[in-house]
Structures are given as C-alpha cells and as structure tokens.
Amino acid sequence: MSHVLVVDDEPGLAHALGITLRASGWTVTTADDGAHALAAAAHHHPDVVLLDLGLPDMSGIDVITALRAWTRVPIVVLSARQHGEDKVDALDAGADDYVTKPFAMNELLARLRAAVRRAAAPADGDEAVVVAGALTVDLARRRVLRDGTEVRLTPTEWSMLEVLVRNRGRLVSRRQLLQEVWGPGYSDETHYLRVYSAQLRRKLEDDPAHPRHIVTQPGMGYVFEA
Amino acid sequence: MSHVLVVDDEPGLAHALGITLRASGWTVTTADDGAHALAAAAHHHPDVVLLDLGLPDMSGIDVITALRAWTRVPIVVLSARQHGEDKVDALDAGADDYVTKPFAMNELLARLRAAVRRAAAPADGDEAVVVAGALTVDLARRRVLRDGTEVRLTPTEWSMLEVLVRNRGRLVSRRQLLQEVWGPGYSDETHYLRVYSAQLRRKLEDDPAHPRHIVTQPGMGYVFEA
DNA sequence: CGCGGGCGTCAAGGATCCGTCAAGGACGCC
DNA sequence: GGCGTCCTTGACGGATCCTTGACGCCCGCG
C-alpha cells in the first residue's frame, strides 16, 4: 500500500492517527516538527503528507513551501482553526487539501486516498516494468534484472536509477536528480552524482566506460536511454 | 483566464456565484440540473466544475461518475450537509475537493484556483517542441534534432538557443541575450555572442556562412527564424 | 584612400566538470 | 566487540568547455 508522513506535534493525536492509518493498510512515518518533517520527506519519499499547521519550530506554510520547492507529493493539511485565513494560505502555498479539526476519520481517509489517486493518475506513461536492452527495471517491485539475473542495488543506487527510469528518454538535470534522491539542500553535491552514476554503470552496463543506458549530458545532467 | 461550470439548482446562489466568479476573472457557465451539467461540460470543456450535490434530477455522485467516465476536469463539490457521509462518497467517486455550506467566498476561490493549478501542472512541459525546417527543438527535453539525428550542445550553447527559440520570430537584443544566458553584469560582453552564435550555426545550419535560422540583426541582436 | 567599428572565425590557455579509486565513518546485525 | 554494508568525502588524471585574444572581412565615413 502507500506510505504516509504524519507531521503533528501532539503526541496523542499523532499516535491515534498512526494506529488508524496502519489499520487501514498504510505504512506510516511520523515527525513532530517542521525540520524533522522535511528530513523525513526527503528520506522516505512518502506518497502523501498529512501536515498539522500548528508546529513548534516553523509555520506550516513554510513547511509546504519548502516541500514544494522540490517535490509534488500531495499535501493534506490539518488545522484546528475553523475559519482561519490559513486555509487560503495553505492552498495557495501548494497544499492539495484541507481538513478542519474535529474531523471524521473516514473523511480523512477518503481525502488521503483521493490525494494519492490524483497524484498517481497523471503518471500515465508509467509502466511498472521498463525494458531496455538486456536490462529489466521493475519499478513496482524495486528490482533490476540484467540478462535475466537479479542485480543487487543499494537504496541510494536504486533511488537514482528510479528517477532516471521514470524520466527515461529525457534529460534529468543534476539539480533535479540531487533533490529527488538526496532531498533539498543537496543541490550542489554534484560529486554524489559522479560516484553513483559510476556505481550504477559498473553494475548495469556491459561496458561501463561507454555506457549505453545511463548517459551523461555534460554540464546538464543524465539521461536513461532505452 | 479560466472557465468554470457552476452546477446548482438554487437560482439565488448560482447567480451570486456567477457574479463573484466573473468579478474574479473567471468565465462562467451555469447548469441547474445534472443532465444540463453533463451537456454543458461536454460542450464547453470547462477548466473546473463547481458542483452542488443537491440536484433535482439525479444524485451528485452520479454526475461525478458520469463526468469521470470521459474527463479528468477537476471537480469541486459543494454541499449543505456538514457531517454527511456524502463527502466520502463524492471524493471516492472522483471529486477533487469539497466545500461545506456555509462557506467563505475567498476560501472557495482559493480551492478553485488550487484545483485548476493541480490539473494544469503536469501539462506544463508539453507542447514545448518547435520545428523549424530540418531543425526540431524540444524545450522540455533539452534536445535538438537536425534531420532527425540528435545534436549535442554544450550548456551555454543550449541556453542561448533556448532564449532565441522561446522568442522565435522576435528580435532578442544583445543585452537581453547576454543577461539571460550569462547573467547580469555581462551586458557588454558582446564578443560572447559572436563566438556562440558561430558555434550554434556550425552545429545547426546547413550553410553556417548564410544562416537561415539564427539571423543577425546588425547593431541590435539576433532572431530565431522558423 | 585610409580608418574604425561591428561581425565572424580560429586557436590557445585555464577553469571546470567528469570518471575513477580509495579511505574513513556511520549504522545495523550477529 | 567484530563484521559487513553503505554513504560520504577526498584526491587525481583526463576530457570538455568557457573565456580571451588576435586577425580578417565588410561597410560606412571622413
């Protein structure tokens, strides 16, 4: 099923949400302030973020803005204020939906499902399995086969390959790659790209010195060619 | 601006919504029952549908289902019932958002904007392909094809070509070109333009000495001619 | 006719970027 | 604690690319 990041500083509510969500088949990560939320989002790549606007360290709007700087993950906002201007602010900042406390749990679940479904829908071109020469990349099962035998990838290697394969045939800029794999704040760590592109090539390419699938576009980024 | 289809059977509310929406820059079509709503949606292709669930001829859920059979136009639902199970049903049927009466008009406007923005976002990079004779410039994928084969450009070459192509048919002044490619503070480095226009012509033009696409306007700047 | 400015061409550096190898160090597992 | 995996970081050739300078051409003008 899908993965949800719950951001809430009230331990009781966060706990209750976690139990209910897990009972509904979600996997759950929790964060109790904005900084941890951003770190967790970058690390876990949740399918949806459930964000309480009342956080101790930074405003919820800032969290939304920071997330929207690098990801389109759906954000469902949770707020105590019933008639707050912050509804408008949150939606304009890039939130996808808004739930006011108190809320019915089944309504919240429906909104989360709707948010995930909306986000998944435009990804039409996504087939779960992409074949490129001797390579078979199964995006759903997170597996790669080369000449029919499985290749073991580390989490970071897989993450980078996944971004490239989902954008196969088109250039992925260094910046985009760094942000999607390592998260915001890593936009300039271009060295990571060199290290990991080399590792992927060593594991996936027939001739790592002359790669046919993971192609460098000097000065710009990388492309996965099928 | 965008076009909204308002589906409501209360003449007073529909009228008030129409006035407010038009004042906010929307163009508006109204329908007072489900059958007319479906016909109007098929005819006008609105950018967003604002749907009141309480309709005389059919249930709002059925309207959503019928729309979703053929279009992904965002649907924002309007309902009087505050704690109704119909919220969940509407969202699961394919609605994008939900507003409960009574509602603040600026919240409704924000939700409509958010719905349209969400729907438009994935389509952004589309249609960014410019064809000029034997040249094909794909602005989204950052690729250039000449007679069907890809041409490798350096980052600076691409950046300059991109500015010219985005302003195709219009003169781009030397100053503007320098600032957009090299940044502010390079307004007088006209020599760069000569070097890079020459490189682009060598890579893209059939006869670099007599360019047909990257044309110099002496003393002023350059034009990309399709 | 001589001169100068704008433009195009070519080539040479120096800076930057890329690929590679390898050494710490964090973390989980036994 | 010992071990293995993985991420991060550094160093270093080699390739690529940006910048800069020199030079020739064309054309208008004095």
Side-chain angles (χ1 to χ4, degrees):
Chain A
M1 180 77 190
S2 308
H3 189 83
V4 55
L5 170 61
V6 175
V7 188
D8 203 318
D9 69 324
E10 302 171 47
L13 181 54
H15 189 63
L17 282 171
I19 290 177
T20 308
L21 287 168
R22 274 183 256 264
S24 303
W26 298 78
T27 56
V28 182
T29 305
T30 58
D32 56 5
D33 61 33
H36 286 98
L38 295 177
H43 188 241
H44 290 98
H45 292 273
D47 300 297
V48 59
V49 175
L50 179 60
L51 173 67
D52 195 322
L53 285 188
L55 295 179
D57 61 336
M58 54 196 288
S59 94
I61 304 297
D62 291 339
V63 175
I64 296 171
T65 305
L67 284 172
R68 276 291 170 267
W70 65 277
T71 176
R72 280 194 188 148
V73 59
I75 303 173
V76 177
V77 159
L78 203 58
S79 167
R81 278 162 271 184
Q82 195 132 21
H83 301 292
E85 199 67 23
D86 54 2
K87 280 194 196 186
V88 181
D89 293 341
L91 290 171
D92 276 344
D96 290 75
D97 208 347
Y98 197 104
V99 179
T100 302
K101 298 189 223 174
F103 53 87
M105 190 58 78
N106 61 355
E107 179 193 342
L108 177 65
L109 291 173
R111 285 187 186 264
L112 288 177
R113 281 197 301 273
V116 171
R117 174 166 41 83
R118 266 195 317 255
D124 257 6
D126 281 32
E127 300 156 34
V129 178
V130 176
V131 178
L135 285 183
T136 305
V137 183
D138 189 330
L139 292 170
R141 301 177 186 226
R142 304 196 129 224
R143 278 158 49 110
V144 189
L145 293 109
R146 178 180 170 195
D147 298 322
T149 64
E150 180 161 4
V151 180
R152 269 190 25 88
L153 297 182
T154 72
T156 305
E157 286 164 3
W158 170 261
S159 179
M160 179 165 166
L161 178 66
E162 184 178 11
V163 174
L164 290 173
V165 170
R166 287 197 192 280
N167 293 281
R168 61 192 171 279
R170 64 192 308 173
L171 173 75
V172 183
S173 71
R174 293 182 297 201
R175 182 186 186 78
Q176 180 186 351
L177 207 43
L178 286 164
Q179 290 192 347
E180 294 208 19
V181 176
W182 282 269
Y186 287 77
S187 307
D188 300 321
E189 304 286 346
T190 56
H191 191 44
Y192 290 3
L193 297 180
R194 288 195 285 281
V195 173
Y196 276 90
S197 61
Q199 289 183 356
L200 282 175
R201 281 165 181 159
R202 205 173 312 130
K203 291 186 177 182
L204 303 179
E205 298 274 1
D206 289 330
D207 180 3
H210 303 91
R212 295 178 48 222
H213 297 114
I214 299 170
V215 181
T216 302
Q217 301 244 350
M220 310 217 235
Y222 294 82
V223 192
F224 186 90
E225 299 282 4
Chain B
M1 178 79 190
S2 309
H3 189 81
V4 54
L5 170 62
V6 176
V7 187
D8 203 321
D9 67 329
E10 303 173 46
L13 180 55
H15 188 63
L17 282 170
I19 289 177
T20 308
L21 288 167
R22 274 184 258 264
S24 302
W26 298 79
T27 57
V28 182
T29 304
T30 57
D32 56 5
D33 61 33
H36 285 98
L38 295 176
H43 188 243
H44 289 101
H45 292 273
D47 299 298
V48 58
V49 176
L50 179 61
L51 173 67
D52 195 323
L53 285 188
L55 295 178
D57 60 338
M58 53 197 290
S59 94
I61 304 297
D62 291 339
V63 175
I64 296 171
T65 306
L67 284 172
R68 276 289 170 269
W70 66 277
T71 177
R72 281 197 191 143
V73 59
I75 303 173
V76 177
V77 159
L78 203 58
S79 167
R81 277 163 272 184
Q82 195 133 18
H83 300 292
E85 199 65 24
D86 54 358
K87 280 194 194 183
V88 181
D89 294 340
L91 291 170
D92 275 345
D96 290 74
D97 207 346
Y98 197 104
V99 180
T100 302
K101 297 190 226 174
F103 54 87
M105 190 57 79
N106 61 353
E107 179 193 342
L108 178 65
L109 291 173
R111 285 186 185 263
L112 289 176
R113 282 198 302 272
V116 170
R117 172 166 41 86
R118 260 185 332 244
D124 259 348
D126 290 349
E127 289 302 328
V129 178
V130 177
V131 178
L135 285 184
T136 306
V137 183
D138 190 330
L139 292 171
R141 303 188 181 196
R142 306 195 119 217
R143 278 159 49 111
V144 188
L145 285 77
R146 179 180 170 195
D147 298 321
T149 63
E150 181 161 2
V151 180
R152 268 192 25 88
L153 297 183
T154 73
T156 306
E157 287 164 4
W158 169 261
S159 179
M160 178 164 167
L161 179 65
E162 185 178 11
V163 174
L164 290 173
V165 170
R166 286 195 193 281
N167 293 281
R168 59 192 171 280
R170 284 202 304 263
L171 172 73
V172 184
S173 72
R174 292 182 297 201
R175 182 187 186 77
Q176 180 186 351
L177 209 42
L178 286 164
Q179 289 191 348
E180 294 207 22
V181 176
W182 283 269
Y186 287 77
S187 306
D188 300 323
E189 304 286 346
T190 56
H191 190 44
Y192 289 2
L193 297 180
R194 288 195 285 282
V195 173
Y196 277 90
S197 60
Q199 289 185 356
L200 281 175
R201 282 166 180 158
R202 204 174 313 129
K203 290 187 178 182
L204 303 179
E205 298 274 2
D206 289 332
D207 181 3
H210 303 90
R212 296 178 47 220
H213 298 113
I214 298 171
V215 181
T216 303
Q217 301 244 352
M220 313 194 58
Y222 294 81
V223 192
F224 186 90
E225 299 282 4

PDB file of all heavy atoms in Angstrom, chain A residues 1 25 40 51 53 64 68 82 88 104 108 134 144 146-147 149 160 163 170-171 176 179 209:
ATOM      1  N   MET A   1       0.860  -1.197   0.000  1.00  0.00           N
ATOM      2  CA  MET A   1       0.000   0.000   0.000  1.00  0.00           C
ATOM      3  C   MET A   1       0.885   1.232   0.000  1.00  0.00           C
ATOM      4  O   MET A   1       2.069   1.189  -0.282  1.00  0.00           O
ATOM      5  CB  MET A   1      -0.928  -0.062   1.239  1.00  0.00           C
ATOM      6  CG  MET A   1      -1.890   1.091   1.400  1.00  0.00           C
ATOM      7  SD  MET A   1      -3.357   1.077   0.328  1.00  0.00           S
ATOM      8  CE  MET A   1      -4.012   2.721   0.620  1.00  0.00           C
ATOM      9  N   GLY A  25      -4.073  -0.017   6.353  1.00  0.00           N
ATOM     10  CA  GLY A  25      -3.178  -0.553   5.336  1.00  0.00           C
ATOM     11  C   GLY A  25      -2.059   0.388   4.918  1.00  0.00           C
ATOM     12  O   GLY A  25      -1.279   0.058   4.040  1.00  0.00           O
ATOM     13  N   ALA A  40      12.374  13.871   6.943  1.00  0.00           N
ATOM     14  CA  ALA A  40      11.701  12.589   6.722  1.00  0.00           C
ATOM     15  C   ALA A  40      11.139  12.509   5.304  1.00  0.00           C
ATOM     16  O   ALA A  40      11.201  11.463   4.659  1.00  0.00           O
ATOM     17  CB  ALA A  40      10.580  12.412   7.742  1.00  0.00           C
ATOM     18  N   LEU A  51      -0.234  17.043   7.216  1.00  0.00           N
ATOM     19  CA  LEU A  51       0.516  18.091   7.909  1.00  0.00           C
ATOM     20  C   LEU A  51      -0.377  18.912   8.817  1.00  0.00           C
ATOM     21  O   LEU A  51      -1.311  19.568   8.350  1.00  0.00           O
ATOM     22  CB  LEU A  51       1.182  19.011   6.869  1.00  0.00           C
ATOM     23  CG  LEU A  51       1.876  20.267   7.374  1.00  0.00           C
ATOM     24  CD1 LEU A  51       3.098  19.915   8.196  1.00  0.00           C
ATOM     25  CD2 LEU A  51       2.249  21.170   6.214  1.00  0.00           C
ATOM     26  N   LEU A  53      -0.883  22.178  10.848  1.00  0.00           N
ATOM     27  CA  LEU A  53      -0.290  23.510  10.669  1.00  0.00           C
ATOM     28  C   LEU A  53       0.361  24.037  11.942  1.00  0.00           C
ATOM     29  O   LEU A  53       1.240  24.885  11.890  1.00  0.00           O
ATOM     30  CB  LEU A  53      -1.345  24.506  10.175  1.00  0.00           C
ATOM     31  CG  LEU A  53      -1.738  24.384   8.708  1.00  0.00           C
ATOM     32  CD1 LEU A  53      -2.631  25.545   8.316  1.00  0.00           C
ATOM     33  CD2 LEU A  53      -0.513  24.350   7.819  1.00  0.00           C
ATOM     34  N   ILE A  64       5.163  23.753   3.815  1.00  0.00           N
ATOM     35  CA  ILE A  64       4.601  23.495   2.480  1.00  0.00           C
ATOM     36  C   ILE A  64       5.507  24.089   1.407  1.00  0.00           C
ATOM     37  O   ILE A  64       5.851  23.435   0.423  1.00  0.00           O
ATOM     38  CB  ILE A  64       3.190  24.094   2.374  1.00  0.00           C
ATOM     39  CG1 ILE A  64       2.248  23.405   3.352  1.00  0.00           C
ATOM     40  CG2 ILE A  64       2.661  23.974   0.952  1.00  0.00           C
ATOM     41  CD1 ILE A  64       0.894  24.070   3.473  1.00  0.00           C
ATOM     42  N   ARG A  68       7.367  22.106  -1.530  1.00  0.00           N
ATOM     43  CA  ARG A  68       7.016  22.378  -2.925  1.00  0.00           C
ATOM     44  C   ARG A  68       8.216  22.831  -3.750  1.00  0.00           C
ATOM     45  O   ARG A  68       8.167  22.865  -4.974  1.00  0.00           O
ATOM     46  CB  ARG A  68       5.911  23.437  -2.988  1.00  0.00           C
ATOM     47  CG  ARG A  68       4.526  22.868  -2.823  1.00  0.00           C
ATOM     48  CD  ARG A  68       4.117  22.030  -4.013  1.00  0.00           C
ATOM     49  NE  ARG A  68       2.877  21.308  -3.744  1.00  0.00           N
ATOM     50  CZ  ARG A  68       2.849  20.083  -3.264  1.00  0.00           C
ATOM     51  NH1 ARG A  68       3.967  19.441  -3.001  1.00  0.00           N
ATOM     52  NH2 ARG A  68       1.700  19.475  -3.045  1.00  0.00           N
ATOM     53  N   GLN A  82     -11.153  26.877  12.431  1.00  0.00           N
ATOM     54  CA  GLN A  82     -12.233  26.526  11.522  1.00  0.00           C
ATOM     55  C   GLN A  82     -12.431  27.575  10.439  1.00  0.00           C
ATOM     56  O   GLN A  82     -12.767  27.254   9.314  1.00  0.00           O
ATOM     57  CB  GLN A  82     -13.544  26.355  12.304  1.00  0.00           C
ATOM     58  CG  GLN A  82     -14.613  25.645  11.498  1.00  0.00           C
ATOM     59  CD  GLN A  82     -15.255  24.540  12.300  1.00  0.00           C
ATOM     60  OE1 GLN A  82     -15.190  24.557  13.516  1.00  0.00           O
ATOM     61  NE2 GLN A  82     -15.883  23.584  11.642  1.00  0.00           N
ATOM     62  N   VAL A  88      -6.740  29.417   3.112  1.00  0.00           N
ATOM     63  CA  VAL A  88      -6.399  30.015   1.826  1.00  0.00           C
ATOM     64  C   VAL A  88      -4.894  30.029   1.622  1.00  0.00           C
ATOM     65  O   VAL A  88      -4.385  29.656   0.564  1.00  0.00           O
ATOM     66  CB  VAL A  88      -6.967  31.443   1.737  1.00  0.00           C
ATOM     67  CG1 VAL A  88      -6.629  32.057   0.388  1.00  0.00           C
ATOM     68  CG2 VAL A  88      -8.464  31.414   1.945  1.00  0.00           C
ATOM     69  N   ALA A 104     -13.949  13.710  10.934  1.00  0.00           N
ATOM     70  CA  ALA A 104     -14.312  12.299  10.960  1.00  0.00           C
ATOM     71  C   ALA A 104     -13.181  11.505  10.332  1.00  0.00           C
ATOM     72  O   ALA A 104     -12.656  11.877   9.289  1.00  0.00           O
ATOM     73  CB  ALA A 104     -15.602  12.067  10.178  1.00  0.00           C
ATOM     74  N   LEU A 108     -11.148  11.775   6.606  1.00  0.00           N
ATOM     75  CA  LEU A 108      -9.708  11.968   6.437  1.00  0.00           C
ATOM     76  C   LEU A 108      -9.113  10.881   5.545  1.00  0.00           C
ATOM     77  O   LEU A 108      -8.328  11.164   4.630  1.00  0.00           O
ATOM     78  CB  LEU A 108      -9.017  11.956   7.804  1.00  0.00           C
ATOM     79  CG  LEU A 108      -7.489  12.090   7.752  1.00  0.00           C
ATOM     80  CD1 LEU A 108      -7.107  13.443   7.191  1.00  0.00           C
ATOM     81  CD2 LEU A 108      -6.879  11.899   9.127  1.00  0.00           C
ATOM     82  N   ALA A 134      19.306  -5.424 -22.428  1.00  0.00           N
ATOM     83  CA  ALA A 134      19.406  -6.570 -21.533  1.00  0.00           C
ATOM     84  C   ALA A 134      18.911  -6.241 -20.130  1.00  0.00           C
ATOM     85  O   ALA A 134      18.859  -7.104 -19.266  1.00  0.00           O
ATOM     86  CB  ALA A 134      20.854  -7.055 -21.470  1.00  0.00           C
ATOM     87  N   VAL A 144      15.874  -5.013 -10.357  1.00  0.00           N
ATOM     88  CA  VAL A 144      16.525  -4.847 -11.645  1.00  0.00           C
ATOM     89  C   VAL A 144      17.092  -6.188 -12.074  1.00  0.00           C
ATOM     90  O   VAL A 144      17.738  -6.880 -11.277  1.00  0.00           O
ATOM     91  CB  VAL A 144      17.681  -3.828 -11.571  1.00  0.00           C
ATOM     92  CG1 VAL A 144      18.181  -3.508 -12.965  1.00  0.00           C
ATOM     93  CG2 VAL A 144      17.227  -2.576 -10.871  1.00  0.00           C
ATOM     94  N   ARG A 146      19.444  -8.072 -15.081  1.00  0.00           N
ATOM     95  CA  ARG A 146      20.377  -7.887 -16.195  1.00  0.00           C
ATOM     96  C   ARG A 146      20.643  -9.260 -16.801  1.00  0.00           C
ATOM     97  O   ARG A 146      21.156 -10.146 -16.115  1.00  0.00           O
ATOM     98  CB  ARG A 146      21.675  -7.271 -15.690  1.00  0.00           C
ATOM     99  CG  ARG A 146      22.699  -7.089 -16.776  1.00  0.00           C
ATOM    100  CD  ARG A 146      23.952  -6.476 -16.188  1.00  0.00           C
ATOM    101  NE  ARG A 146      25.036  -6.496 -17.157  1.00  0.00           N
ATOM    102  CZ  ARG A 146      26.303  -6.293 -16.844  1.00  0.00           C
ATOM    103  NH1 ARG A 146      26.632  -6.062 -15.593  1.00  0.00           N
ATOM    104  NH2 ARG A 146      27.229  -6.324 -17.769  1.00  0.00           N
ATOM    105  N   ASP A 147      20.266  -9.439 -18.048  1.00  0.00           N
ATOM    106  CA  ASP A 147      20.323 -10.750 -18.700  1.00  0.00           C
ATOM    107  C   ASP A 147      19.565 -11.789 -17.879  1.00  0.00           C
ATOM    108  O   ASP A 147      19.990 -12.939 -17.778  1.00  0.00           O
ATOM    109  CB  ASP A 147      21.785 -11.201 -18.885  1.00  0.00           C
ATOM    110  CG  ASP A 147      22.543 -10.233 -19.782  1.00  0.00           C
ATOM    111  OD1 ASP A 147      21.938  -9.754 -20.754  1.00  0.00           O
ATOM    112  OD2 ASP A 147      23.711  -9.946 -19.502  1.00  0.00           O
ATOM    113  N   THR A 149      19.209 -12.137 -14.700  1.00  0.00           N
ATOM    114  CA  THR A 149      19.594 -12.372 -13.311  1.00  0.00           C
ATOM    115  C   THR A 149      19.509 -11.077 -12.526  1.00  0.00           C
ATOM    116  O   THR A 149      19.809 -10.001 -13.047  1.00  0.00           O
ATOM    117  CB  THR A 149      21.031 -12.922 -13.223  1.00  0.00           C
ATOM    118  OG1 THR A 149      21.923 -11.927 -13.716  1.00  0.00           O
ATOM    119  CG2 THR A 149      21.160 -14.186 -14.055  1.00  0.00           C
ATOM    120  N   MET A 160      18.329   6.592  -7.353  1.00  0.00           N
ATOM    121  CA  MET A 160      18.812   7.354  -8.503  1.00  0.00           C
ATOM    122  C   MET A 160      18.358   6.700  -9.804  1.00  0.00           C
ATOM    123  O   MET A 160      17.890   7.377 -10.723  1.00  0.00           O
ATOM    124  CB  MET A 160      20.336   7.433  -8.454  1.00  0.00           C
ATOM    125  CG  MET A 160      20.940   8.189  -9.626  1.00  0.00           C
ATOM    126  SD  MET A 160      22.659   8.632  -9.283  1.00  0.00           S
ATOM    127  CE  MET A 160      23.209   9.098 -10.918  1.00  0.00           C
ATOM    128  N   VAL A 163      14.604   7.458 -10.493  1.00  0.00           N
ATOM    129  CA  VAL A 163      14.327   8.788 -11.041  1.00  0.00           C
ATOM    130  C   VAL A 163      14.672   8.832 -12.527  1.00  0.00           C
ATOM    131  O   VAL A 163      13.915   9.354 -13.352  1.00  0.00           O
ATOM    132  CB  VAL A 163      15.111   9.867 -10.268  1.00  0.00           C
ATOM    133  CG1 VAL A 163      14.949  11.224 -10.926  1.00  0.00           C
ATOM    134  CG2 VAL A 163      14.643   9.916  -8.823  1.00  0.00           C
ATOM    135  N   ARG A 170      14.400  11.407 -21.413  1.00  0.00           N
ATOM    136  CA  ARG A 170      14.512  12.854 -21.260  1.00  0.00           C
ATOM    137  C   ARG A 170      15.592  13.189 -20.242  1.00  0.00           C
ATOM    138  O   ARG A 170      15.875  12.424 -19.327  1.00  0.00           O
ATOM    139  CB  ARG A 170      13.180  13.463 -20.848  1.00  0.00           C
ATOM    140  CG  ARG A 170      12.709  13.000 -19.504  1.00  0.00           C
ATOM    141  CD  ARG A 170      11.285  13.385 -19.251  1.00  0.00           C
ATOM    142  NE  ARG A 170      11.060  14.800 -19.466  1.00  0.00           N
ATOM    143  CZ  ARG A 170       9.857  15.363 -19.437  1.00  0.00           C
ATOM    144  NH1 ARG A 170       8.803  14.632 -19.246  1.00  0.00           N
ATOM    145  NH2 ARG A 170       9.725  16.642 -19.624  1.00  0.00           N
ATOM    146  N   LEU A 171      16.164  14.375 -20.429  1.00  0.00           N
ATOM    147  CA  LEU A 171      17.249  14.789 -19.551  1.00  0.00           C
ATOM    148  C   LEU A 171      16.725  15.041 -18.145  1.00  0.00           C
ATOM    149  O   LEU A 171      15.711  15.703 -17.954  1.00  0.00           O
ATOM    150  CB  LEU A 171      17.891  16.069 -20.092  1.00  0.00           C
ATOM    151  CG  LEU A 171      18.925  16.709 -19.174  1.00  0.00           C
ATOM    152  CD1 LEU A 171      20.207  15.907 -19.205  1.00  0.00           C
ATOM    153  CD2 LEU A 171      19.176  18.126 -19.581  1.00  0.00           C
ATOM    154  N   GLN A 176      17.753  18.454 -10.282  1.00  0.00           N
ATOM    155  CA  GLN A 176      16.551  17.654 -10.027  1.00  0.00           C
ATOM    156  C   GLN A 176      16.920  16.299  -9.444  1.00  0.00           C
ATOM    157  O   GLN A 176      16.299  15.815  -8.491  1.00  0.00           O
ATOM    158  CB  GLN A 176      15.770  17.477 -11.333  1.00  0.00           C
ATOM    159  CG  GLN A 176      14.503  16.647 -11.161  1.00  0.00           C
ATOM    160  CD  GLN A 176      13.825  16.369 -12.501  1.00  0.00           C
ATOM    161  OE1 GLN A 176      14.193  16.922 -13.527  1.00  0.00           O
ATOM    162  NE2 GLN A 176      12.834  15.500 -12.476  1.00  0.00           N
ATOM    163  N   GLN A 179      17.981  16.626  -5.825  1.00  0.00           N
ATOM    164  CA  GLN A 179      16.872  16.925  -4.920  1.00  0.00           C
ATOM    165  C   GLN A 179      15.958  15.731  -4.750  1.00  0.00           C
ATOM    166  O   GLN A 179      15.437  15.488  -3.663  1.00  0.00           O
ATOM    167  CB  GLN A 179      16.094  18.130  -5.438  1.00  0.00           C
ATOM    168  CG  GLN A 179      16.890  19.413  -5.303  1.00  0.00           C
ATOM    169  CD  GLN A 179      16.052  20.646  -5.534  1.00  0.00           C
ATOM    170  OE1 GLN A 179      14.937  20.558  -6.024  1.00  0.00           O
ATOM    171  NE2 GLN A 179      16.590  21.794  -5.166  1.00  0.00           N
ATOM    172  N   ALA A 209      32.661   1.961 -19.333  1.00  0.00           N
ATOM    173  CA  ALA A 209      33.381   3.133 -19.844  1.00  0.00           C
ATOM    174  C   ALA A 209      32.621   3.793 -20.997  1.00  0.00           C
ATOM    175  O   ALA A 209      32.810   4.976 -21.271  1.00  0.00           O
ATOM    176  CB  ALA A 209      34.785   2.730 -20.295  1.00  0.00           C
TER     177      ALA A 209
END
